[in-house]
Amino acid sequence: MEQLRKQKNGDSKSGASEEAKEEEAPEIFQINVKLPHQPYEIKVMVSTQEQVQDLRQSIVELRDTFQYSCFHLEHNSERINDFVELSEVKGLVAESEIKLVEDPYTEKEARVHMVRVRDLIGAAGDRVDTVHGICAGLSLHEYIAPYNGSESGTKSSQKNSSELPHPLADYDFNAPAPISALLPPPPTQQPKTVKALSVSVWNPPPPSLRQKGHLLYLQLTTNEGEQHQITGHVSGFFVNKSSNSKFDPFPRPAPKNASAHSLLSLISKLSPSFESSFISLQEFNGRKDPLCNIQFTNAIPSNPWFVPASEAALSAHQPDMTRTQETYLIAGIENAETLRDWNEEFQSTRELPRENVQDRVFRERLTSKLFLDYNEAAVRGAIMVARGEVAPLNPTEVKEAQIFVYNNIFFSFGADGVGTYKSEGADEAARVAVGKDVAGVRVVNQLDIQGLFTSGTVIVDYLGKRIVCQSIVPGIFKQRDPGENQIDYGGVEGREVVGEDERFVDVFAKLSKALKVKKHDVWDKEGVKHNLEASVETKGLMGTDARKYALDLYRLTPLDILWIEQYWSEMPEDASVEKDNERDYPHRMAILRPELIEAYWRLKMNDYVKEQVKNRTQKASNGINGTKASTEKPLESNETFPENTEPAVDSEESSKSNEASLEKSKPAVDGEDANAESGKAVESGEQPERIDVSGFDLAFNTDVFCYQEPQTDEEKEQYLKDEEEVRAICQYLRETILTDLIRDLRESEVGFPMDGQSLTRLLHKRGINMRYLGHLASLSQKEDFRLEALHTLTQQEMVSRAFKHEANKYLKNVPVLFASACLSHLLNCLLGFEFNKSPKVQLDEEIHFLYPDADLSFQKVTPESMKMALKTHVRRRFRHDLDGEWFTQINHLPLLRDIALKLGIQLIAKDYQFNAVVQQPAKEGEVMINGTSESPKLNGTQVNGSAKSKKKRKNADPESRSSSPDSLVHSSPTTFEPDDIVNIVPVVKDACPKSTLADEALEAGKISMMQNHKELGQELLLESLSLHEQIYGVLHPEVARVYHQLSMLYYQMDEKTAAVELAHKAVIVSERTLGVDSNETILSYLNLALFEHANSNTSCALIYIRHALDLWKIIFGQRANVPHPDSITTLNNAAVMLQHLKHYHDSRIWFETSLAICEKVSGKSSVNTATLCFQLAQALALDQDAKGAVQRMREAYSIFHAKLGPDDRNTKESESWLEQLTQNAVSIAKHAKDVQARRLRRIQLMPKVTLGTRPQPSVGQANADVGMGRGVDAPRGGNATAQVPPHSIGGMDSRSVDELMKFIEGGGDAMKKGRSAEAKQRSARGNPKRRGGRSSISGAA
C-alpha cells in the first residue's frame, strides 16, 4: 500500500502514478460457465483479483445454480485450483468457457449440502443459540419506508404535495416515546415448500454399507403428505426402500426410483408442488433488501433489548426434528471438526506474509474471520462455565479460583481467587485488571509487532460473573526445572521475583516505543535492580513453540496517581484496624487511557517544534547562520518540518497503522503551509529548512507509585523525575482535557452525546476514564441549558453503572433459574417503586425447594435500600453525590435501556407502567420536544406510518397490555414480572484489531479529496470500501461506519444517487450490528433523510426523520426542561422539508419548536437564536402572517445589532428584510378590504428562497468537519468559508432583498436565472457553531 502512504505523506503525484503502474488495476470481464443441467450455461462477471473460491460462491448463489455445492471447475479440460487467483489461471480471458463438473460426495460434503438445502427451501425452523439472542441482527429499515433504489413516482407525487398529508402531520412533540419504533410488524408467514426434511432414524450407515458409498440417511415429508426415505450416496441422493420400521437403504425399483446428484433436484421430482412453492419462497425473500437477509460472517449480531411479545410466545417455537441434529450435520459424528487449536491458528495467521496488498488483504481477512470464530466458541464455553456445565480442573479450590478448559480454550473468573490483588482492591481490582488486559491485547494486536505474540483473549459478562477466555499458550502449564522461573521476562510472583531474558528485549522495546513507555529500573524483594523495557506487571513467556508471548497487558500506561492519592487509602499495617471501604475508591487499578498518553505526547511535540522554530527565528534575526553548529547532534530522523510551520494536534490520528507507529513518531503538519513552503523552496532552487525532532523524547515509567524502592541516591532522583512526569499528565487530564470537553460541548463545537454508549465513546476518545463522570457532572452543574443536558446524561450513566454493580453482586450467587426473578425485583425497586412501593419477589416455591442452599438475599432488597446502595456506589466510584430528588426524577425508559444493554437483558416490549397515576399531557401552547407527559397515547403512526394498522396489531396481541390508564394501573402488582425478562445474553469484549489496510485507503482518499484530487480521491475511497467489505464482510460495524462516511462525501460531491444508496446500506448494517436504536443508527437515519430530500424524495425523508425522532425520545428521554441540544438541527431540517412540500403552516410549527429549544440551549439573545428568528420570519411570511414575520425579523435585527454590530453583514441583511417586510405589512393592512378581489401583494416566498438542510454531526465530531466550516475541497488547515463573516448563518438567503421582494410581488421568473449559481454559493456558507444551512462536508464521524 505504498501508494497510500505516499498520498498520506504528501509525496509528489508522479511517485503515486509510478507506483500505480507497478501494481496494475484489476481487470473485470465476463466468462461463460457450462453446466451439466438446465440452463446448461450462465454468464458471470469476474475480476482478475478474485480467487476461484469467490467465483464458486458467485455460482452457488445464483438462482439457476442453487442446487450445486459439490463440484470443481475446469478450463481447457484442466482442473482449476480453488485457492488461486483467477489471474493465475492460464488462458482465462473475456468470454472464456469454464466447465462445472459435479464431484462425488464425501460424508462432510453431504452433510453441508443437507444444511444448505434446508436453508434454501425454508425447512429450517427457528434456531436456539446461546450466543445470539432473540431477534438477533434485526433491521427495521424495510418496514419504515421500503427502498427500491428508484426515484420514479416520488417526484411526480409531489407536484400537488401541499394538498397531500405528510408523514409529520400528526406528530406530537409532547407524546411519550413510542415503543413501536423498536418493533417490527407481525411476521408474515412464508410459503412452505416441504413439511419436513430431517436426518432419518436409520442414520448413520453401518460400516458394511459405508464401504458401498452410503454417507447418511434422510427423511422427507412433502406438502402432499408423502414420506420418503432418502439415501445420501457418494454419487448423489436417491429414494430408498426403508420405512420407519424397516431398514432397506437400497434404491426403489421403477417407476419410483428417483435419484439426482443434488438433493434440491430430487425433491422437485418427488413433490409436484415443490417447484411452484420454491419460486414463491424466492419471491417472498426477494422483497427484502439483500442486506437484511445476508448471514453474519465476521461479526456478532446486535441483540435488541426490547423484543416483540410474539417472539416470546409459545407459538413462536416451531417443531423441527433436525434442530437437535444440526450439531452433527455441521461437526460430524465425532464432533472433531469443531476442536481447533486456537492458539496455533492465531499465531500462524500472524506469521502470514504481508509483502504486498494481496498478502495483507488475505491476512487481515483471515484474521477477522478467525476472531469471530474464536469469539463465538469462547462465548459458548463461557456460558456453560457460568451455568456450571463444565467440570473445573481444580474442583477443590474455592469457586473464584477454579479454572476450566473447554474446546481448547482456557476459562477463569475475573475475581481474586488466590489473593493476587488483595492489597489493590481484591475482587474489584481483579475485575478491572482483566478488563484492562483485553484492551491491552487489542492494542498490541493493532500494533502488529513482528515477533511478538498474544493469546486470543475475550471477556464475557454473564449472570453477574466475569469470565476470562484465553487460547492456551503452549508451555504455560509446563513444570519448570528447579531454579527456573515460570515467567521469562517481567514479574514472576507479583513484584517480589523479577525475570530478565535478552530474547524479549528487542520486541518489548518496540512495544514500549509505540506506547510511550520508557526503559526503567525495578527492584525485587531482595533489592536487586532489573532494567525492564515495559511494566513489571507485563510478562514475557517463551512458549514451547519458540514464540515470544506477551501476557498480562493491563498495565501499559501509568497509574492516575492524583486520583489514587485523593480517593484511595492503603491497607493499614495494623491487621486489627479495618479499612474504610465505604469512603475509598473500590480499587487501586486507576490507570490512564492510551488516548490521553497520545494527546499529551502530541501536545509536548507541538511545544517542542514551536520552541525549535522560535530559536531558529531568533538566530535568523540576529544574522546567525541557521546551519547547525558542529556541537549539535546530526540529523538522525527522517521526520522534518518546514520552517514556521506548526504541527496540528489531532486526536483522530491515534489509531495509526503498525508501520507508522513503529517508525520515528511525528506530529501532523498543516498540508497547505507545508506545500507553500516547499513550493517557495523549489522556485528558489533551495532545499526547505527542516527541523530536527530527533532530540524530542517523551516516555513514561509505568511502574512509578507501585511500591518500588530505589536503592541509591541517583536512582531515587530519577524515580522522582519519573513521578513528576506522571503527575504532570494526570494534571493535564484534570485541568485541560476535562475543561476542554466541557467548553466544546457548551459552545457546540462537537456533536452532543445521546445516551450512555455515545457518552462513553466520547470520553474514551478524549482519553477520559469513566471514573471522571462525577467530575463532569459537577462541571456541568451550571446554569447552562446545554450543560444541563450533559449533567442529566452523566447522572443517568452513573446510576445505570451503579445498578449494574449492585445487580452483579446478587446475580453471581443466584441459580440460573432465579435470575429473571432477581432482575425483575431489582428493577421494580429502582424503576417501579412509584407504582408499587413495596414490591414482592415472585418465586416458584416448588423450584425454590430444590435449591435449599441458594443465596436469595436479593429478596431483602427494598426501594429504600436500593436507593441507598446506588448512592453509595455513585459516591465511591464516581465521587459524586446524587441530587436529593434524583430518585423521583428518573427518566424511566432511557435508564431501563441503559441497564438492559449493560446486563444483556432482553425484555418483552410493552408499555411498562412506572407511575401509579398517569400524568396529564402538556399544557396547550407549551412548545417543547421530548416533553414530560406520560400519557399512554403513542406518537402518531406505527413504524410503517399507519395508525390504523397499529391499533389492529395492538388489539390482536393478547400478551400486550392495554393502553388505558385503568388497565395500566391494575394489570400487574409490579411494573416488572419475571416473565417479562425473556432472555439474558452475554456481553462480550474482544481483542480483534481493526484493518490497517482499509483505514489507510480511507484516510488517503479523504486527504486526496481535501487536496482537490477528486479522481484519485474517489478511486481510493472506492478501494477502501472494497477492502472493508473483503476484510470484514458486509455486516460489520466498521463497514457501517465507512458506508456512512462515504455517503456524506458523495453527498458533498453532489452525487446524490450514490449518497442515498450508501446511506441506505449504512442504516441497515448499523441496525444489524450496532442496534436498531443505537445513536449511530439514529444519525444514519437523519443523514439518509437529508440525502433523500436532496434527491427530491422529501416525503420519504420525513418518514425517516419521524422514525429517528421516535428513537431519539427512547434513548435520550423526555425531559421537559432539558431538550437535546442537537435536536435543533433535526427540527430545522424537517421544517425546511415541509416548506419544500409547501406545508407552510406545519413548517412554521417546526421552526417555532426549533427556536424554542434554541432559546433554552443558547439563550434568547444569542446569535443562534437570532438566526432562527430570521428563518422563522421567512416561515411566517410563507404562512401569510405578515405581522408575526415583522416581529421575528425585528428580534433578529436587534440581536445581530447588539452582538455583531451595525456593520456586520447579518445585521445589514436583517435590517433590509425588516424594512421590506414592514412595508408589505403596512400595505396589506391598508388594502385589507381588497384582499378578496386581488391578491397581488400577499407574501408568497417559494420554498427555495428559504434555508437548506445540513447533516447531523456525529457524537464527538467537530461540527466543522460535518461541513459547516470545512469542505472536502479545502485543505485541513484551510478554511472553505473565509469569505463569510464569522457569525454568518448558512440558512440566511444569499440573494438581495430587492430581488426577493420583487419575487414576492410577482417577479419570480427573474429569480430563477441565478438559482443554480446561488445554490453553489450557499453550499459553502456556514459556521461550525451554528445549526442552520446546508453546507459542505469534509468527512463523517
Coordinates of all heavy atoms in Angstrom, one line a residue, residues 343 437 441 444 452-457 470-473 475-476 486-491 504 508 511 534-543 548-556:
N343 N -4.8 -21.3 19.5 CA -3.6 -20.6 19.6 C -2.7 -20.7 18.4 O -2.2 -19.7 17.9 CB -2.8 -21.0 20.9 CG -1.6 -20.2 21.1 OD1 -1.7 -19.0 21.6 ND2 -0.4 -20.6 20.8
D437 N -6.8 -5.9 30.6 CA -5.9 -6.8 29.9 C -6.4 -7.1 28.5 O -5.6 -7.1 27.5 CB -5.9 -8.2 30.7 CG -5.0 -9.2 30.0 OD1 -3.9 -8.8 29.5 OD2 -5.4 -10.4 29.9
V441 N -4.4 -6.3 25.1 CA -4.2 -7.3 24.0 C -4.6 -6.7 22.7 O -4.0 -6.8 21.6 CB -4.9 -8.6 24.3 CG1 -4.8 -9.5 23.1 CG2 -4.3 -9.2 25.5
V444 N -1.9 -4.2 21.4 CA -0.8 -5.0 20.9 C -1.1 -5.6 19.6 O -0.3 -5.6 18.6 CB -0.3 -6.0 21.9 CG1 0.9 -6.8 21.3 CG2 0.2 -5.3 23.2
L452 N 6.3 -10.7 18.1 CA 5.6 -10.6 19.4 C 4.2 -11.1 19.3 O 3.4 -10.7 18.4 CB 5.6 -9.2 20.0 CG 5.0 -9.0 21.4 CD1 5.9 -9.7 22.4 CD2 4.9 -7.5 21.7
F453 N 3.8 -12.1 20.1 CA 2.6 -12.8 20.0 C 1.7 -12.6 21.3 O 2.3 -12.4 22.4 CB 2.8 -14.3 19.8 CG 3.6 -14.6 18.5 CD1 5.0 -14.6 18.5 CD2 2.9 -14.7 17.3 CE1 5.7 -14.8 17.4 CE2 3.7 -15.0 16.1 CZ 5.0 -15.0 16.2
T454 N 0.4 -12.7 21.1 CA -0.5 -12.6 22.3 C -1.5 -13.8 22.2 O -1.7 -14.4 21.1 CB -1.3 -11.3 22.2 OG1 -2.1 -11.2 21.0 CG2 -0.4 -10.1 22.4
S455 N -2.1 -14.1 23.3 CA -3.1 -15.2 23.3 C -4.4 -14.6 22.9 O -4.7 -13.4 23.1 CB -3.2 -15.8 24.7 OG -3.7 -14.9 25.6
G456 N -5.3 -15.4 22.3 CA -6.7 -14.9 22.0 C -7.4 -14.7 23.3 O -7.5 -15.6 24.1
T457 N -7.9 -13.5 23.5 CA -8.5 -13.1 24.8 C -9.8 -12.5 24.6 O -10.0 -11.6 23.7 CB -7.6 -12.1 25.5 OG1 -6.2 -12.6 25.6 CG2 -8.1 -11.8 26.9
Q470 N -9.2 -17.5 27.2 CA -7.9 -17.3 26.6 C -7.5 -18.6 25.8 O -7.8 -19.7 26.3 CB -6.9 -17.0 27.6 CG -7.1 -15.7 28.4 CD -6.1 -15.5 29.5 OE1 -6.1 -16.3 30.4 NE2 -5.3 -14.4 29.5
S471 N -6.9 -18.4 24.7 CA -6.3 -19.5 24.0 C -5.2 -20.0 24.8 O -4.5 -19.3 25.5 CB -5.9 -19.1 22.6 OG -4.9 -18.1 22.6
I472 N -4.9 -21.3 24.7 CA -3.9 -21.9 25.6 C -2.5 -21.8 25.0 O -2.2 -22.3 23.9 CB -4.2 -23.4 25.8 CG1 -5.6 -23.6 26.4 CG2 -3.2 -24.1 26.7 CD1 -6.1 -25.1 26.5
V473 N -1.7 -21.0 25.7 CA -0.3 -20.7 25.2 C 0.5 -22.0 25.5 O 0.6 -22.5 26.6 CB 0.3 -19.5 25.9 CG1 1.7 -19.3 25.5 CG2 -0.6 -18.3 25.6
G475 N 3.1 -24.3 26.7 CA 4.2 -24.1 27.7 C 3.8 -23.4 29.0 O 4.6 -23.3 29.9
I476 N 2.6 -22.8 29.0 CA 2.2 -22.0 30.2 C 1.9 -22.9 31.4 O 2.1 -22.4 32.5 CB 0.9 -21.2 29.8 CG1 0.7 -20.0 30.9 CG2 -0.3 -22.0 29.7 CD1 -0.3 -19.0 30.5
Q486 N 8.8 -19.5 36.2 CA 7.6 -19.8 35.3 C 7.5 -18.8 34.2 O 7.0 -19.1 33.1 CB 6.4 -19.9 36.1 CG 5.2 -20.7 35.5 CD 5.5 -22.2 35.3 OE1 6.3 -22.7 36.1 NE2 4.8 -22.8 34.4
I487 N 7.9 -17.6 34.5 CA 7.8 -16.5 33.5 C 9.3 -16.1 33.1 O 10.1 -16.0 34.0 CB 7.1 -15.3 34.1 CG1 5.6 -15.6 34.4 CG2 7.1 -14.1 33.2 CD1 4.8 -16.0 33.1
D488 N 9.5 -15.8 31.9 CA 10.9 -15.5 31.4 C 11.2 -14.0 31.5 O 12.4 -13.7 31.7 CB 11.0 -15.9 29.9 CG 10.9 -17.4 29.8 OD1 11.7 -18.2 30.3 OD2 9.9 -17.8 29.1
Y489 N 10.2 -13.1 31.5 CA 10.5 -11.7 31.5 C 9.4 -11.0 32.2 O 8.2 -11.2 32.1 CB 10.6 -11.1 30.0 CG 11.2 -9.8 29.9 CD1 12.6 -9.6 29.9 CD2 10.4 -8.6 29.8 CE1 13.1 -8.3 29.7 CE2 10.9 -7.4 29.6 CZ 12.3 -7.2 29.6 OH 12.9 -6.0 29.5
G490 N 9.8 -10.1 33.2 CA 8.9 -9.3 34.0 C 8.7 -10.0 35.3 O 9.4 -10.9 35.7
G491 N 7.6 -9.5 36.0 CA 7.3 -10.1 37.4 C 6.8 -11.5 37.3 O 5.9 -11.8 36.6
F504 N 13.7 -11.1 24.9 CA 12.5 -10.3 24.9 C 12.8 -8.8 24.8 O 11.8 -8.0 24.6 CB 11.6 -10.6 26.1 CG 10.9 -11.9 26.1 CD1 11.5 -13.1 26.5 CD2 9.6 -11.9 25.7 CE1 10.8 -14.3 26.5 CE2 8.9 -13.1 25.6 CZ 9.5 -14.3 26.0
F508 N 10.0 -6.2 23.1 CA 9.4 -5.3 24.1 C 9.8 -3.8 24.0 O 9.1 -2.9 24.3 CB 9.7 -5.8 25.5 CG 8.7 -6.8 26.1 CD1 8.4 -7.9 25.3 CD2 8.2 -6.7 27.3 CE1 7.5 -8.9 25.8 CE2 7.2 -7.6 27.8 CZ 6.9 -8.7 27.0
L511 N 7.5 -2.4 21.4 CA 6.2 -2.2 22.0 C 6.2 -1.0 22.9 O 5.3 -0.1 22.8 CB 5.8 -3.4 22.9 CG 4.5 -3.3 23.7 CD1 3.3 -3.2 22.8 CD2 4.3 -4.6 24.6
A534 N 9.3 -2.7 29.8 CA 7.9 -2.5 30.0 C 7.6 -2.6 31.5 O 8.5 -2.7 32.3 CB 7.1 -3.5 29.2
S535 N 6.4 -2.5 31.8 CA 6.0 -2.5 33.2 C 6.3 -3.9 33.8 O 6.3 -4.9 33.1 CB 4.5 -2.3 33.4 OG 4.0 -2.7 34.6
V536 N 6.6 -3.9 35.1 CA 7.0 -5.2 35.7 C 5.8 -6.2 35.7 O 6.0 -7.4 35.7 CB 7.5 -5.0 37.2 CG1 6.3 -4.5 38.0 CG2 8.1 -6.2 37.8
E537 N 4.6 -5.6 35.6 CA 3.4 -6.5 35.5 C 3.2 -7.1 34.1 O 2.5 -8.1 34.0 CB 2.1 -5.6 35.8 CG 2.2 -5.0 37.2 CD 2.1 -5.9 38.4 OE1 1.8 -7.1 38.1 OE2 2.3 -5.5 39.5
T538 N 3.8 -6.5 33.1 CA 3.7 -7.1 31.8 C 4.8 -8.2 31.6 O 6.0 -8.0 31.8 CB 4.0 -6.0 30.7 OG1 3.1 -5.0 30.8 CG2 3.9 -6.6 29.3
K539 N 4.3 -9.4 31.3 CA 5.2 -10.6 31.4 C 5.5 -11.1 30.0 O 4.7 -11.0 29.1 CB 4.5 -11.7 32.2 CG 4.2 -11.2 33.7 CD 3.3 -12.2 34.4 CE 3.1 -11.8 35.8 NZ 2.4 -10.5 35.9
G540 N 6.7 -11.7 29.9 CA 7.1 -12.3 28.6 C 7.3 -13.8 28.9 O 7.9 -14.2 29.9
L541 N 6.7 -14.7 28.0 CA 6.8 -16.1 28.2 C 7.3 -16.7 26.8 O 6.7 -16.4 25.8 CB 5.5 -16.7 28.5 CG 5.4 -18.3 28.6 CD1 6.3 -18.8 29.7 CD2 4.0 -18.8 28.7
M542 N 8.4 -17.5 26.9 CA 8.8 -18.2 25.7 C 8.1 -19.5 25.6 O 8.3 -20.4 26.4 CB 10.3 -18.4 25.8 CG 10.9 -19.1 24.5 SD 10.7 -18.2 23.0 CE 11.9 -16.9 23.3
G543 N 7.2 -19.6 24.6 CA 6.4 -20.8 24.5 C 7.2 -22.0 24.0 O 8.3 -21.9 23.5
K548 N 7.5 -15.8 21.2 CA 7.6 -14.9 22.4 C 6.2 -14.3 22.6 O 5.7 -13.6 21.8 CB 8.6 -13.8 22.1 CG 10.0 -14.3 21.8 CD 10.8 -13.2 21.2 CE 12.2 -13.7 20.7 NZ 13.0 -12.7 20.0
Y549 N 5.6 -14.7 23.8 CA 4.3 -14.2 24.1 C 4.3 -13.1 25.2 O 5.1 -13.2 26.1 CB 3.5 -15.4 24.7 CG 3.1 -16.5 23.6 CD1 4.0 -17.5 23.4 CD2 2.0 -16.4 22.9 CE1 3.7 -18.5 22.4 CE2 1.7 -17.3 21.9 CZ 2.5 -18.4 21.7 OH 2.2 -19.3 20.8
A550 N 3.5 -12.1 25.0 CA 3.3 -11.1 25.9 C 2.0 -11.3 26.7 O 0.9 -11.5 26.1 CB 3.2 -9.7 25.3
L551 N 2.1 -11.4 28.0 CA 0.9 -11.7 28.9 C 0.7 -10.6 29.9 O 1.6 -9.8 30.1 CB 1.2 -13.0 29.6 CG 1.6 -14.3 28.8 CD1 1.9 -15.4 29.7 CD2 0.5 -14.6 27.8
D552 N -0.5 -10.6 30.5 CA -0.9 -9.6 31.5 C -0.6 -8.2 31.0 O 0.2 -7.5 31.6 CB -0.2 -9.9 32.8 CG -0.6 -11.2 33.4 OD1 -1.6 -11.8 33.0 OD2 0.1 -11.7 34.4
L553 N -1.4 -7.8 30.0 CA -1.1 -6.5 29.4 C -2.1 -5.4 30.0 O -2.5 -4.5 29.3 CB -1.3 -6.6 27.9 CG -0.4 -7.5 27.2 CD1 -0.8 -7.8 25.8 CD2 1.1 -7.0 27.3
Y554 N -2.4 -5.5 31.3 CA -3.3 -4.5 31.9 C -2.6 -3.2 32.4 O -3.2 -2.3 32.8 CB -4.1 -5.1 33.0 CG -3.3 -5.7 34.1 CD1 -2.8 -4.9 35.2 CD2 -2.9 -7.1 34.1 CE1 -2.1 -5.5 36.2 CE2 -2.2 -7.6 35.2 CZ -1.8 -6.8 36.2 OH -1.0 -7.4 37.2
R555 N -1.2 -3.2 32.3 CA -0.5 -2.0 32.8 C 0.4 -1.4 31.7 O 1.6 -1.3 31.9 CB 0.3 -2.4 34.0 CG -0.5 -2.6 35.3 CD -0.9 -1.2 35.9 NE 0.3 -0.4 36.1 CZ 1.2 -0.6 37.1 NH1 0.9 -1.5 38.1 NH2 2.2 0.1 37.3
L556 N -0.2 -1.1 30.6 CA 0.5 -0.5 29.5 C 0.7 1.0 29.7 O 1.5 1.6 29.0 CB -0.1 -0.8 28.2 CG -0.3 -2.2 27.8 CD1 -1.0 -2.4 26.4 CD2 1.1 -2.9 27.7

